[in-house]
Amino acid sequence: VGMAAPAVLQRSVVSPAGRHTASLIFLHGSGGCFPPLLSPATPRWGRGAGQGLGGQMAFQHIKIIYPTAPARPYTPMKGAFSTVWFDRYKISNDCPEHIESIDSMCRGLTDLINDEIKNGIAKNRILIGGFSMGGGMAMHLAYRFHQDLAGVFALSSFLNKDSAVYQALKRNESVLPELFQCHGTADELVLYSWGEETNKMLQSLGVSTSLHTFPNLNHELSRTEIEKLKTWIVKKLPVEAAKSN
């Protein structure tokens, strides 16, 4: 019996205020879901999430897509079901990746990218990124399968030491999407050093990277970080001048 195609991912969409000329795909952290569960008034958004973003992110020309990961058994939670992009043997950067679940989700997320292309959005006008596990997922998707995207962002995220991403980039010749990374130095779930090591490895393999450090920030998002991210998003996806005939 053939493998069932991954189910169409549930998604929430924030439409642009004006003409839609670019798209942003934002992936939540493990156990998270969008739309945001906390009000944007909450100054900090806790662990699984990056969930208080809703009111913070809206653009004139960029459509924002918040897919929700399907629920699956998650090994770090002793096999309990959780909305995670892929499975992990443990939350650590020195164990093998669960490549089968990563690759299966890459196929599901590729459908999301293709939907935008069918809607007339050029691939170099699509950004992908996420918080925590969502950022790890985005790096696999872009650097292994979609190297012509506009850019990648990874907030409080990391790749394992022997990541398939590194293996793919060792053989790569093409120009790669720029990486925008943020990480809190007080993160106790995803250590700052793991994020830093990921940044250095990707840089050594030809990725143009930036790493924004947030002192005393734990595994969460801060307002300053969201503002920096928004500035970078508009730099990568500027408003296009209307074409005159």
Side-chain angles (χ1 to χ4, degrees):
V1 184
M3 282 282 287
V8 174
L9 293 169
Q10 283 187 301
R11 61 193 91 162
S12 299
V13 172
V14 179
S15 297
R19 196 168 65 98
H20 174 209
T21 65
S23 296
L24 168 73
I25 300 170
F26 198 124
L27 307 179
H28 60 71
S30 60
C33 66
F34 286 114
L37 306 174
L38 303 177
S39 84
T42 320
R44 284 190 171 169
W45 308 296
R47 180 186 157 171
Q51 310 298 39
L53 281 161
Q56 306 286 57
M57 299 269 272
F59 299 93
Q60 192 62 31
H61 60 297
I62 304 169
K63 170 181 168 184
I64 312 174
I65 303 154
Y66 295 110
T68 298
R72 60 171 301 132
Y74 187 44
T75 304
M77 286 171 51
K78 301 187 166 57
F81 271 70
S82 186
T83 48
V84 290
W85 298 109
F86 50 87
D87 198 8
R88 285 190 166 124
Y89 298 105
K90 57 181 179 176
I91 299 175
S92 164
N93 72 342
D94 61 358
C95 65
E97 289 175 320
H98 198 290
I99 202 72
E100 184 190 352
S101 61
I102 292 173
D103 286 0
S104 141
M105 189 50 64
C106 282
R107 290 192 287 277
L109 289 166
T110 292
D111 292 345
L112 217 55
I113 293 171
N114 289 339
D115 284 351
E116 292 312 292
I117 294 167
K118 282 179 203 139
N119 287 332
I121 301 301
K123 198 131 171 230
N124 65 0
R125 296 280 293 167
I126 301 174
L127 270 180
I128 183 153
F131 174 73
S132 193
M133 174 186 262
M137 187 74 236
M139 290 187 276
H140 273 274
L141 190 66
Y143 294 121
R144 292 175 57 212
F145 300 105
H146 298 283
Q147 297 179 344
D148 44 358
L149 289 169
V152 185
F153 61 93
L155 315 174
S156 310
S157 308
F158 74 103
L159 291 170
N160 295 33
K161 284 182 188 295
D162 63 346
S163 178
V165 173
Y166 303 149
Q167 309 313 318
L169 294 185
K170 280 174 185 160
R171 302 184 293 274
N172 174 68
E173 297 296 312
S174 61
V175 178
L176 297 159
E178 183 187 325
L179 175 69
F180 176 93
Q181 229 180 318
C182 294
H183 215 116
T185 57
D187 195 328
E188 289 160 12
L189 186 73
V190 174
L191 302 186
Y192 177 79
S193 59
W194 302 353
E196 192 176 38
E197 193 176 304
T198 299
N199 191 282
K200 285 183 176 142
M201 271 301 289
L202 288 171
Q203 207 169 26
S204 74
L205 292 164
V207 177
S208 164
T209 69
S210 60
L211 174 57
H212 304 270
T213 301
F214 294 82
N216 309 321
L217 187 69
N218 202 323
H219 197 62
E220 59 199 347
L221 294 171
S222 76
R223 285 198 180 288
T224 325
E225 187 179 350
I226 296 303
E227 290 309 318
K228 270 193 196 313
L229 174 63
K230 279 160 66 174
T231 303
W232 180 79
I233 288 168
V234 176
K235 196 181 85 190
K236 298 310 288 182
L237 300 175
V239 176
E240 288 185 330
K243 296 178 179 69
S244 54
N245 295 331

